């Protein structure tokens, strides 16, 4: 999955970019206070995207993706 598509999904569900690290971005969900790292690769594996969504407590974007 493209990283930009994941970032749009995170924003749609209220998450925001907390800060940029050396090789990762830190995204936070203000509803539950969870912070999750997102690697800065242009393409991310679906399994990792699913884990990021689950940890942040937002719907899984990979459902329905073949």
């Amino acid at each position: 999955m493209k990283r930009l598509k994941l970032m749009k999904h995170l924003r749609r569900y209220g998450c925001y970019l907390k800060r940029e690290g050396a090789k990762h971005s830190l995204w936070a969900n203000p509803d539950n206070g969870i912070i999750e790292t997102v690697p800065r690769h242009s393409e991310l594996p679906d399994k990792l995207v699913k884990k990021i969504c689950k940890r942040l407590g937002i719907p899984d974007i990979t459902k329905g993706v073949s």
Side-chain angles (χ1 to χ4, degrees), residues 16-56:
Y16 65 94
L17 179 64
K18 186 167 176 84
R19 71 176 177 89
E20 293 285 348
K23 296 181 181 181
H24 294 80
S25 303
L26 292 178
W27 284 81
N29 184 342
D31 294 338
N32 58 19
I34 300 290
I35 299 170
E36 186 65 24
T37 59
V38 177
R40 273 198 248 127
H41 302 289
S42 60
E43 193 72 33
L44 300 172
D46 284 346
K47 193 171 185 178
L48 177 61
V49 171
K50 187 174 184 173
K51 176 197 168 269
I52 291 168
C53 291
K54 183 177 179 180
R55 287 264 305 135
L56 287 171

